[in-house]
Each structure stands twice: as structure tokens, then as C-alpha cells.
Amino acid sequence: MTKISKETKLRALIEYFTGTGSKSKIAARYGITLTLFKMLVSAYETYGSDVLFNPLQVNGDFKVKLTKWKIRNRASYTEVAAEFGYVGILQIQQWEKIYRKKWVEWVIVYRKRT
């Protein structure tokens, strides 16, 4: 997978918001996956260029907050991007997998105690 620069992503976003093409056409033109581009558009609408040039500081509390919110709201990755300004799809998938596994482990331990 080719790394796409922040500047290229910004050009794609500006092109989209000026109405020169659809998400799918612009994403393809710039070599950005459609899912990532949809997330970028949603995050950019809420957070502006900070999404690209001032990314969030990710720590344990942030991971848990984002993951709980995503699960509780049955949110898509695009909705997560709009809410949190975070577009790391693979990381979100990993956090959710870990969170769900830990939750199951906690339930098993809790049931054994009762």
C-alpha cells in the first residue's frame, strides 16, 4: 500500500469540496481508497485541516472512548471520523477486536464469581 501525503489528501479534499467530482472519482484519481476518502471528508467537515496537519494524540483513554462510542452507537468508520476526527481504519478495527475480547473475558470472570 502506497503512503499518500497529507498534501495530496488535502488537494483531494479541496477538489471534492469545490464540487469538481464525486467521492469515488476523486478518491480514484488520487489513489485513496474510497472508505478512507469518505472518512477524510467526514473528519474534514468537522475538524478542518487539523485532521491532516494536527492529528489527535492517541492514548489509552482515547482508544477506549472511541471504541465504546463506536460499539454503543453501532457507528460506521465514517461516523467515527466525523465524531472523533480519527481516520485510522486498521487501528480502530484492532481496538474494537481487543475491546470485545476483553469484554468477553470480563463477563466470564464475573459469571464465575456469581
Side-chain angles (χ1 to χ4, degrees), residues 12-13 15-30 32 34 37-38 41:
L13 287 165
E15 189 172 317
Y16 172 74
F17 284 109
T18 58
T20 58
S22 67
K23 289 176 187 169
S24 59
K25 286 186 180 183
I26 293 170
R29 186 176 307 132
Y30 286 91
I32 303 170
L34 182 56
F37 192 62
K38 286 178 180 179
V41 167

Side-chain angles (χ1 to χ4, degrees), residues 55-72:
L56 295 166
Q57 297 300 316
V58 176
N59 59 29
D61 290 339
F62 175 80
K63 293 175 186 180
V64 171
K65 182 179 177 182
L66 181 149
T67 304
K68 283 174 128 176
W69 185 89
K70 182 181 182 309
I71 292 168
R72 188 177 325 110

